[in-house]
Amino acid sequence: MPRHTIQLTEPATAFHDSFLIGNGSLGGTLRGAVGTERIDLNLDSLWSGGPATAEDTGSPAGLLPQLRAAIRAEDNAGAEKLAQAMMGPGWTESYQPLGWLEWHYADTSDAAGYHRRLNLADAVATTGYGPAGAEVEMSSFVSAPDDVLVVTVTGPGAASHPALPTFVSPHPVTTATPRPGLLVATGRVPARVLPNYVEEEPAVVYGEDEPDGAGTVAAGAGFAVAVAVERTGPEELRLIVAAASGFRGYDRRPSADLDALARSADETVTQALGRPAEQLVQRHVEDYRSYFDRVDLDLSASPAADHGDPARAELLFHFGRYLLISSSRPGTEAANLQGIWNIDVRPGWSANYTTNINVEMNYWAAESTALQDVHGPMLTLADDLAESGTATAARYYGAAGAVVHHNTDIWRFSTPVKGDTQWATWPTGLYWLAAHVWDHYEYGGNDDFGAGTALRVHRSAALFALDMLVPDDDGSLLTSPSTSPEHRFAVSPNQGAAAVSEGTTMDQELVHEVLSRYVALAERHGRGDEARLLSRARHALRALRLPGIGAHGELLEWKDERRGSEPGHRHLSHLYGLHPGTRLTEGGTPEVFAAAREALATRLRHGSGYTGWSQAWILCLAARLRDTGLAERSLDILLNDLTSTSLLDLHPHPDWPGGYIFQIDGNLGAVAGIVELLVQSHEGAVSLLKTLPRGWRSGHLAGIRCRGGLTVDVDWHEGELTTSTIRTGSSGPVVVEIPATGGDPTVTDAVGDPVNAFDAPCALPGRRRLTWDGRAASYYRLVSQGRRS
């Protein structure tokens, strides 16, 4: 089987066993049925609600001093009650399905030799079956250049009379056939959808308002689906699908002009029909491969052994990049909890943007795996929230800047939801989103980006962070209120558990990070009126309390010794500084680094990592800790326990079919973890093969981007580094850290001339650092001693 192919021998029996195809905006879910296929359809911008549902006129900021006083007095019951009173009146909206097509495409009398394949290199899914000489093959893809889903059926078993599919939607729709071979369906999504875990009625409300003169409504966007079927040869059928939604921007009323939306979808289909099938697929593949081919991981020289199957780990890596490219493109919306694929009106956790880990994890590998432009929708989300969250910051905290809590949606919702304090009382979401803006800048963003989006987002986050800090009894600064996402601490005597406190480890790390990065950006790109805010930020950094170490040598999760109510909790928030943060390092903060190792070991001893995304986080932490055994264990759990037959990430959930729900973050987080095993760049050097799994004896990784604008390839054989190429973006020192295996490696430039490389200080046992003066836009080759070629 080709390296980049998922191949299965049975149709999907559940959503999470399906193949997912998409162009960043339009998504299709394929079950691979014989003869009659079901194709679920999605559009990235189709959400319930509208700007009106995101509005919030509450103003509980007057309660903040009382809340802080209760926290300081350790009146946990009082703090919980006050935190509840400071929550907003509602919830985010929910990502919506368009509906699905049922299409009879071929005879089903003989399904011998059935197979279905997903080619990750070309982003094409195929279903095939039938006796020799009479095979039927259905090939499907979603084209970004033509913005259509294309399905082609070939073979003598293809239906002799092409029929339009049936379109079924969970929303009220009107269907029409304006001309032979074309089906058009139009409808509106709900004006309001409550999260799947909220037991209130009515849970789904459709708007009854008529569109205004411009065709817009307060909530409940319109949508249209156009489907064409034609026979393109004696044994060939073609189906083409386009869709349009009424979303016009997060702060604008959506359109419900169904006639206009229908015309738009029809025009898109008509244009695609004017192209030959081979041209459609060529345009699609060339566009898709312009992203996918930037990076490659090849473990084919490492056979399966006791330490796992490298081929499946490699496939997981390629599949994750495939999913990100397919669910996020320049100009689309950011990938949500399920990317762009969802079949439920009330999907799990609203399929929204959960900012206390999930939406960020979706993009952890974007910069390193050369998908920096695919990262764009996430950066836009952060930039928008830095604006939309300003009113919430003022109303709820009397604070400057902007705030984002643990949930947001396409309407840039920023209010604390009407829920439980352990997840709703977490006003530090914008800090984490800002980290992605910083990464884009640090990996190679230009000065225009630094002076624009990066400084703008960090300024908003820093303004809010400074207003959220309070002095402790010793004068050090703590953020208040503060929670460790979704985790409570035990309260004694016999008072159960509480969530709200001050100075949790994650929040202190996030504040330190956002203030430090704001200072760096403002010093380089700041305006003339930046001086006062810069001074405040520098002072706060000097006074900020950093996380402490407990009596058993573990990194504390709260500001002091408290026992977590779930010792094996799935969130690893207190380890943020180790990953995805960069403050805790083996060489720079060895004592706290060791404490983080112990804190993770404690979580693992009690069963953490039972969701796909949580296990992906553990993989990333293992890579930073240089814990090869834990990395191998995490990969094994991900591949064998927490992914479906089609490799989709699974979150155990008793209320969902089969006991699992698909969440894309585990797939995408695993990509980041695999990169970190082989290449890291957060400690002032490009670190190669830092946590190489024992089973990955020989391999090749190409195209990995590193902080500072460097790009590297690395090859290894029998567990030892052989060669690495380093491409520079700008002039300056190049520092490369490699395994210290003895001998002296050599460095040459693009024409093969020797480069004067010197040893640099390295505090890590078993590692060695080399440095040389790099020229801008140059190529260097490092060859390990005894492995020159």
Side-chain angles (χ1 to χ4, degrees):
M1 187 175 65
R3 283 199 300 125
H4 300 111
T5 303
I6 299 174
Q7 178 165 310
L8 300 172
T9 57
E10 294 180 351
T13 57
F15 174 82
H16 58 246
D17 292 317
S18 304
F19 285 159
L20 309 180
I21 56 176
N23 66 359
S25 176
L26 177 62
T29 301
L30 305 170
R31 308 299 176 97
V34 173
T36 301
E37 177 62 291
R38 169 173 170 159
I39 307 172
D40 292 281
L41 301 173
N42 288 101
L43 267 180
D44 68 322
S45 60
L46 196 67
W47 290 66
S48 62
T53 58
E55 291 176 358
D56 175 17
T57 57
S59 185
L63 297 176
L64 182 60
Q66 299 174 55
L67 173 58
R68 286 173 166 169
I71 291 169
R72 181 58 54 86
E74 297 192 7
D75 176 7
N76 294 298
E80 293 286 314
K81 184 176 180 180
L82 284 162
Q84 287 277 356
M86 291 184 66
M87 291 177 186
W91 312 86
T92 66
E93 291 297 337
S94 297
Y95 181 57
Q96 292 298 293
L98 285 162
W100 66 92
L101 301 172
E102 293 210 7
W103 188 40
H104 177 69
Y105 65 88
D107 178 40
T108 59
S109 60
D110 190 343
Y114 174 90
H115 63 270
R116 59 184 175 116
R117 300 188 182 101
L118 181 58
N119 183 328
L120 306 177
D122 290 342
V124 175
T126 57
T127 299
Y129 65 91
E135 298 93 342
V136 174
E137 182 171 273
M138 185 179 77
S139 173
S140 308
F141 61 90
V142 183
S143 166
D146 294 292
D147 203 18
V148 289
L149 184 152
V150 180
V151 183
T152 303
V153 179
T154 59
S160 57
H161 299 290
L164 284 168
T166 301
F167 178 74
V168 183
S169 178
H171 313 299
V173 294
T174 299
T175 59
T177 52
R179 60 182 182 272
L182 180 71
L183 170 72
V184 176
T186 57
R188 287 177 62 181
V189 294
R192 188 76 184 94
V193 174
L194 294 179
N196 64 297
Y197 49 83
V198 175
E199 297 181 359
E200 295 179 14
E201 294 295 340
V204 178
V205 178
Y206 285 88
E208 298 180 354
D209 54 327
E210 291 295 322
D212 63 14
T216 69
V217 291
F223 65 88
V225 177
V227 186
V229 175
E230 63 175 358
R231 180 167 291 284
T232 52
E235 297 180 348
E236 183 174 291
L237 298 176
R238 183 167 69 164
L239 176 146
I240 296 179
V241 183
S245 89
F247 179 73
R248 302 166 62 241
Y250 79 88
D251 56 353
R252 302 180 66 191
R253 286 163 57 96
S255 173
D257 186 340
L258 303 186
D259 290 340
L261 294 170
R263 286 194 299 272
S264 175
D266 184 357
E267 288 169 3
T268 303
V269 165
T270 300
Q271 289 178 1
L273 286 170
R275 298 187 184 277
E278 59 272 15
Q279 187 181 87
L280 282 175
V281 71
Q282 179 182 1
R283 284 163 56 85
H284 157 69
V285 171
E286 287 177 355
D287 171 79
Y288 171 79
R289 294 201 77 141
S290 71
Y291 296 95
F292 187 81
D293 287 351
R294 298 173 186 177
V295 165
D296 190 28
L297 171 65
D298 186 353
L299 299 176
S300 57
S302 296
D306 292 341
H307 299 300
D309 185 351
R312 276 179 49 79
E314 179 196 322
L315 197 61
L316 187 66
F317 174 86
H318 295 308
F319 184 49
R321 291 187 74 245
Y322 163 85
L323 287 175
L324 184 56
I325 297 166
S326 300
S327 62
S328 183
R329 291 286 190 94
T332 72
E333 295 300 315
N336 62 50
L337 273 172
Q338 294 184 195
I340 56 171
W341 301 278
N342 164 48
I343 62 174
D344 299 301
V345 173
R346 298 182 75 193
W349 303 283
S350 303
N352 63 19
Y353 302 117
T354 304
T355 64
N356 67 18
I357 175 60
N358 310 96
V359 68
E360 293 92 350
M361 183 178 280
N362 284 357
Y363 289 91
W364 277 357
E367 295 293 329
S368 62
T369 66
L371 297 177
Q372 61 272 24
D373 38 4
V374 170
H375 203 180
M378 175 66 159
L379 309 180
T380 298
L381 177 66
D383 201 9
D384 289 348
L385 285 164
E387 175 62 30
S388 68
T390 57
T392 305
R395 288 198 311 269
Y396 279 77
Y397 302 98
V403 62
V404 178
H405 293 83
H406 91 296
N407 274 177
T408 188
D409 58 18
I410 199 169
W411 310 111
R412 304 330 192 213
F413 182 97
S414 59
T415 302
V417 301
K418 186 176 61 176
D420 195 304
T421 56
Q422 66 181 319
W423 28 273
T425 306
W426 188 71
T428 50
L430 184 60
Y431 309 161
W432 199 338
L433 294 172
H436 281 259
V437 177
W438 174 265
D439 280 349
H440 186 71
Y441 176 72
E442 192 176 27
Y443 272 84
N446 58 35
D447 284 347
D448 287 343
F449 181 82
T453 301
L455 181 55
R456 184 166 57 247
V457 172
H458 281 82
R459 184 187 296 116
S460 289
L463 281 165
F464 182 74
L466 290 167
D467 282 354
M468 294 301 288
L469 292 173
V470 298
D472 200 0
D473 295 338
D474 61 2
S476 61
L477 295 178
L478 303 170
T479 184
S480 180
S482 178
T483 57
S484 191
E486 307 193 25
H487 196 196
R488 294 178 175 273
F489 54 87
V491 176
S492 60
N494 301 319
Q495 294 182 28
V500 183
S501 66
E502 59 185 357
T504 65
T505 290
M506 168 174 249
D507 286 357
Q508 296 297 111
E509 287 284 4
L510 284 168
V511 169
H512 182 274
E513 183 176 87
V514 81
L515 292 180
S516 299
R517 291 171 176 179
Y518 163 72
V519 168
L521 288 164
E523 287 177 343
R524 180 168 181 176
H525 304 294
R527 309 173 307 202
D529 60 353
E530 211 83 48
R532 183 174 181 274
L533 183 57
L534 255 175
S535 177
R536 290 181 64 201
R538 293 189 186 112
H539 172 77
L541 281 168
R542 290 191 294 269
L544 189 70
R545 177 184 292 180
L546 294 176
I549 298 174
H552 301 289
E554 79 286 3
L555 187 68
L556 294 177
E557 185 167 356
W558 292 273
K559 77 167 187 176
D560 49 22
E561 298 267 5
R562 302 186 187 204
R563 180 170 56 86
S565 61
E566 297 179 57
H569 199 270
R570 62 197 174 278
H571 280 255
L572 301 157
S573 307
H574 53 317
L575 301 179
Y576 178 93
L578 181 62
H579 188 282
T582 59
R583 190 183 71 84
L584 306 187
T585 64
E586 187 175 4
T589 58
E591 183 181 8
V592 190
F593 184 85
R597 184 189 299 277
E598 179 57 33
L600 178 58
T602 300
R603 273 286 209 271
L604 294 173
R605 282 194 296 270
H606 292 90
S608 187
Y610 51 85
T611 68
W613 62 262
S614 181
Q615 195 59 236
W617 199 349
I618 290 169
L619 175 63
C620 294
L621 292 166
R624 291 277 172 95
L625 290 167
R626 289 206 284 163
D627 191 334
T628 301
L630 178 57
E632 292 166 349
R633 176 179 177 272
S634 291
L635 284 167
D636 180 69
I637 292 172
L638 281 168
L639 286 165
N640 297 312
D641 299 334
L642 292 173
T643 53
S644 69
T645 58
S646 59
L647 281 187
L648 292 176
D649 171 73
L650 299 176
H651 187 301
H653 197 296
D655 297 332
W656 240 255
Y660 293 98
I661 184 169
F662 163 56
Q663 278 192 207
I664 201 171
D665 41 19
N667 285 111
L668 304 181
V671 178
I674 290 170
V675 171
E676 292 275 336
L677 296 175
L678 303 174
V679 178
Q680 298 178 21
S681 65
H682 66 289
E683 292 185 81
V686 174
S687 301
L688 305 177
L689 306 185
K690 205 166 185 180
T691 316
L692 180 66
R694 291 167 292 179
W696 299 6
R697 297 297 300 164
S698 302
H700 169 72
L701 178 64
I704 296 299
R705 298 174 73 242
C706 300
R707 293 167 177 86
L710 302 171
T711 303
V712 303
D713 302 346
V714 59
D715 291 86
W716 66 98
H717 180 70
E718 291 301 318
E720 294 185 4
L721 174 70
T722 55
T723 63
S724 175
T725 60
I726 299 97
R727 294 177 290 282
T728 60
S730 58
S731 297
V734 177
V735 184
V736 180
E737 183 189 294
I738 61 175
T741 56
D744 290 316
T746 61
V747 179
T748 54
D749 62 17
V751 297
D753 291 337
V755 172
N756 290 325
F758 303 94
D759 278 294
C762 183
L764 308 185
R767 307 288 294 176
R768 179 180 182 181
R769 287 191 174 190
L770 298 174
T771 183
W772 63 89
D773 291 329
R775 298 186 303 273
S778 296
Y779 168 99
Y780 299 93
R781 190 165 190 256
L782 184 154
V783 180
S784 179
Q785 177 72 18
R787 298 285 186 183
R788 302 173 190 174
S789 59

